[in-house]
Structures are given as C-alpha cells and as structure tokens.
Amino acid sequence: AQTVTQSQPEMSVQEAETVTLSCTYDTSESDYYLFWYKQPPSRQMILVIRQEAYKQQNATENRFSVNFQKAAKSFSLKISDSQLGDAAMYFCAYRSTSNFGNEKLTFGTGTRLTIIP
Amino acid sequence: DTGVSQDPRHKITKRGQNVTFRCDPISEHNRLYWYRQTLGQGPEFLTYFQNEAQLEKSRLLSDRFSAERPKGSFSTLEIQRTEQGDSAMYLCASSFDRGPYEQYFGPGTRLTVT
C-alpha cells in the first residue's frame, strides 16, 4: 500500500517570502499522480498543483511550484511571494494511475502554514 | 455548475441515532468519492462510485455505513447507530474517469455525535 508522509506539522513564513513544504511517499509503482491540496480554515479543499510521475519537468502554477524527485520519492511544494491568503493546511496526496482498485487519493497528515504579516 | 455541494454542513446527533448526508457532484463527473477527516489528519478514503456502481469500499466502512448513488448523480451516505467515534468531517469529491483524475471536493459535513 502507498503511504504519504509530511514531516512538518507546522510552518510559518513572512509575507512576500518563499516557503517550501516537504512530502515523501512510498510506492512500488512506476507511474502515478501526485497532488498538493490546500484547505483554508473552515473552507473546502482546493487543488493547488499536480504532477504526473512520467513527466520529468516540475509542475508550476503561478506562485506555486514543485520539486519532484522520483528516485528519492520526494515531492515538495514551493510557495513564492507568500500572501496572507496562502494561510491554510496543505495536504500532499498520491494516486495510482491504475484504474482498478486504486482510484482513491492517499493523503499525508498535512502541514499548517501560517503567514506572518 | 458551481462545484461539489454537500448537505447538511453540520449535523449534531445523539449516540445511537441514524444520520444521512447528501452529496451533489459536479454534473459532468461520473466518479464520486467519500472521505472521512478527523481533526488534525488528512482525509481517509471510504468508498467511491463510477456512475451508480459502488466499486470500492475501505475497511473503514463498517457495516453501520452505507452509501448509494441511485441514478448516478447525487449520493447519500448513511450511518446507522452512530457512535462517538463517528464524529468527523465527511468529505465528498468528484472527478472524471480519465486522467489526471483530479478530484474536486465539497465543503464537507461536520458530524458531532454526543
């Protein structure tokens, strides 16, 4: 079974600075998807960025980018020019590409990000 | 269509009572998922539907839990004889059945069992 580990329960960053959230995972599969989701306080989970394991190029979405290290099974999220609205719980998630019996997302325990004004 | 919706948003019930939650997915999505999230944890998978067929159930889904998606549109999750351990946020998500399988989440139903 796949597992996802987020070793930083809490992180904080000054507004306008850059922060990196860590995620590692364990799998025996060669192809899969990885996601970062954001869950603001009392609000619904929002997809931030995704990475397909067969793509070597790191995904980027505006101020959000990932550092995907397949051999190390590492998938970190970098947030540049941090804004107050970035304050949230961030979850790393794994999904197999297999279409039979592996449709679920496996989540880490999350990192709570605080933005310091 | 504005996204996945869930009803109710909050539910307080007494131990032993039955509760039912509803999820309306994004209309174009044929897959619908239920997750449970306890405080300080990431969501845990419960079950999912492809159209009206329930294709996978987690071991977390005890016999007291049942989910349906009768017409392949909205879904209901029922918990019978609730226990205090059932207190959690119940999240619904939907997706297409083709890659990259991005799941879009609803706001959740927070259940408190007293």
Side-chain angles (χ1 to χ4, degrees):
Chain A
Q2 295 82 18
T3 59
V4 177
T5 302
Q6 293 180 251
S7 58
Q8 306 155 314
E10 296 183 354
M11 292 280 286
S12 60
V13 63
Q14 293 275 8
E15 194 176 2
E17 296 296 308
T18 295
V19 64
T20 298
L21 309 184
S22 301
C23 172
T24 58
Y25 57 94
D26 188 28
T27 184
S28 59
E29 299 178 324
S30 59
D31 200 13
Y32 45 85
Y33 297 97
L34 295 166
F35 304 90
W36 279 99
Y37 280 88
K38 168 185 177 182
Q39 189 176 40
S42 300
R43 295 181 62 187
Q44 66 197 78
M45 191 137 1
I46 303 165
L47 177 65
V48 174
I49 198 166
R50 74 166 188 272
Q51 175 78 41
E52 293 151 35
Y54 69 89
K55 291 186 176 178
Q56 293 185 339
Q57 186 173 6
N58 289 324
T60 299
E61 288 287 342
N62 301 314
R63 298 184 294 108
F64 298 87
S65 61
V66 298
N67 183 5
F68 174 49
Q69 302 289 328
K70 191 173 183 180
K73 297 180 181 175
S74 170
F75 181 60
S76 60
L77 174 70
K78 185 171 82 171
I79 306 174
S80 304
D81 184 27
S82 297
Q83 300 176 0
L84 295 178
D86 295 333
M89 282 290 285
Y90 285 82
F91 291 98
C92 178
Y94 172 103
R95 190 209 186 275
S96 170
T97 56
S98 167
N99 219 14
F100 298 99
N102 289 292
E103 286 75 8
K104 63 180 180 289
L105 290 173
T106 300
F107 286 87
T109 51
T111 296
R112 182 175 302 282
L113 178 65
T114 300
I115 311 298
I116 303 167
Chain B
D1 189 85
T2 57
V4 180
S5 61
Q6 293 186 245
D7 183 70
R9 296 289 305 276
H10 303 274
K11 179 70 176 179
I12 300 174
T13 191
K14 293 185 177 181
R15 185 165 54 92
Q17 297 296 304
N18 298 345
V19 294
T20 300
F21 310 141
R22 176 180 169 125
C23 171
D24 287 87
I26 293 171
S27 57
E28 300 86 7
H29 289 172
N30 50 7
R31 288 192 172 178
L32 186 148
Y33 309 79
W34 285 99
Y35 292 84
R36 181 170 69 187
Q37 185 179 22
T38 53
L39 203 60
Q41 299 296 316
E44 295 176 294
F45 171 78
L46 292 178
T47 188
Y48 100 97
F49 293 83
Q50 169 94 8
N51 300 312
E52 66 276 9
Q54 187 175 17
L55 296 186
E56 187 178 355
K57 293 194 292 186
S58 162
R59 286 170 293 178
L60 293 175
L61 212 65
S62 76
D63 291 345
R64 296 184 297 105
F65 288 70
S66 63
E68 294 182 341
R69 195 182 182 198
K71 297 182 180 179
S73 56
F74 73 91
S75 175
T76 58
L77 177 67
E78 181 183 18
I79 309 175
Q80 296 182 327
R81 304 180 305 281
T82 52
E83 302 172 356
Q84 287 189 323
D86 296 332
S87 295
M89 177 76 85
Y90 290 84
L91 298 170
C92 177
S94 68
S95 77
F96 290 110
D97 63 351
R98 57 187 183 276
Y101 305 104
E102 293 174 2
Q103 294 185 22
Y104 294 85
F105 284 81
T109 294
R110 181 167 296 284
L111 174 66
T112 303
V113 182
T114 62

